[in-house]
Amino acid sequence: MKAGLFGGTFNPIHNGHLGIIQYVKAHYAFETIILYPSALPPHKPNLNLASARDRLTMVKRAIKNLNGFQVSDIELQRKGPSFTIDTISQFKTIFGSHTRFHLLLGSDAFFDTPSWKQANRIFGALPVIVMQRGEKTDMEPYASFIDEHVSKGYKLKSDNIFVHDRLFPIRICNVPRIDISSTQIRNRIKSGKSISGLVPEDVETFIKTKDLYK
Ligand code: ATP
């Protein structure tokens, strides 16, 4: 089985997340994409962070009517900060070798990987798909970043794929530009503006019921 892993703070999940993962699922023919909210995002100390349980519930509500998506509480079960390499290892152990996992990263997350715990092990563990917003990508910043911060020896093949003889490929995928962010949603709620159309209706109802982000 070919499966995508997509982690995020999802504070809250929004239609931007849903748009890109549906695009990536179709484009790479994933059978499933697993979304896993971070319990304690090590990189986003955030004063307006909804509880992990609430963020998980919102993800569940958001994907409920979509085919081929799952949500996992794997990072909520672990104690301490959530490191992606530990999460990947755990998924591999749980699902076994017949599941071919790919890690989906937003370009901001990808360029942030040098600050992650043992990030280099990620590229030795599974293929990575970097979701780059917009239609065209200048590959030069990716090439120099990969060379400097991921590993020497990656070569750009056609189709925006960097290949290596020991490590897994890194694919740069142009995803539709959807200008929505969780920050924008939280700010809108704080200033009393509507978030209709930015999150699925069931998520909007949940946010209202629980009075989140006020
Ligand atoms: P915040 O505004 O709180 O920083 P966010 O909207 O970026 O949050 P995250 O949960 O941190 O949401 O996102 C997980 C990943 O999804 C990130 O790597 C981010 O780049 C990507 N992402 C979020 N929104 C979009 C979007 N509209 N289009 C493409 N990628 C997105």
Side-chain angles (χ1 to χ4, degrees):
M1 177 171 73
K2 184 173 170 182
L5 296 176
F6 183 46
T9 318
F10 302 132
N11 185 40
I13 189 163
H14 54 68
N15 290 341
H17 296 126
L18 297 176
I20 57 168
I21 58 174
Q22 287 178 91
Y23 178 85
V24 167
K25 180 170 180 290
H27 191 74
Y28 292 103
F30 281 116
E31 281 163 82
T32 187
I33 291 184
I34 304 174
L35 290 87
Y36 59 95
S38 322
L40 295 169
H43 297 94
K44 287 196 178 177
N46 191 323
L47 294 176
N48 207 350
L49 184 66
S51 74
R53 281 281 142 206
D54 284 349
R55 288 181 288 118
L56 182 78
T57 302
M58 290 189 276
V59 177
K60 280 186 186 156
R61 285 180 169 232
I63 61 164
K64 164 174 115 208
N65 296 322
L66 302 178
N67 268 333
F69 293 92
Q70 308 174 44
V71 55
S72 166
D73 64 354
I74 201 163
E75 292 202 345
L76 276 58
Q77 303 291 354
R78 273 204 321 263
K79 294 206 165 61
S82 313
F83 294 111
T84 301
I85 187 62
D86 300 335
T87 302
I88 293 166
S89 307
Q90 225 181 324
F91 271 122
K92 282 183 153 186
T93 308
I94 295 167
F95 282 76
S97 56
H98 57 279
T99 302
R100 287 168 293 124
F101 282 116
H102 292 60
L103 183 69
L104 314 183
L105 292 178
S107 53
D108 57 336
F110 177 67
F111 287 116
D112 195 36
T113 51
S115 70
W116 295 11
K117 179 190 156 198
Q118 298 181 358
N120 286 348
R121 281 184 51 212
I122 295 175
F123 304 95
L126 81 183
V128 169
I129 295 174
V130 182
M131 299 176 294
Q132 163 73 46
R133 304 174 200 200
E135 273 161 23
K136 272 212 155 152
T137 304
D138 176 7
M139 298 306 281
E140 173 37 42
Y142 279 102
S144 45
F145 176 85
I146 289 171
D147 192 59
E148 202 173 319
H149 295 287
V150 178
S151 174
K152 300 278 175 214
Y154 268 104
K155 300 226 162 16
L156 178 59
K157 265 194 7 184
S158 55
D159 295 338
N160 296 5
I161 305 175
F162 289 89
V163 291
H164 195 282
D165 51 12
R166 271 182 310 106
L167 303 173
F168 281 96
I170 301 171
R171 293 180 170 81
I172 315 301
C173 176
N174 292 117
V175 293
R177 181 175 287 282
I178 309 168
D179 282 325
I180 305 176
S181 72
S182 302
T183 307
Q184 171 202 10
I185 291 165
R186 295 192 303 274
N187 289 342
R188 288 185 72 88
I189 295 170
K190 253 205 153 52
S191 50
K193 293 185 183 145
S194 159
I195 57 163
S196 284
L198 302 177
V199 298
E201 259 176 49
D202 266 8
V203 172
E204 189 181 348
T205 310
F206 184 81
I207 291 173
K208 277 192 189 136
T209 313
K210 298 272 301 200
D211 229 9
L212 298 178
Y213 308 120
K214 283 278 172 68

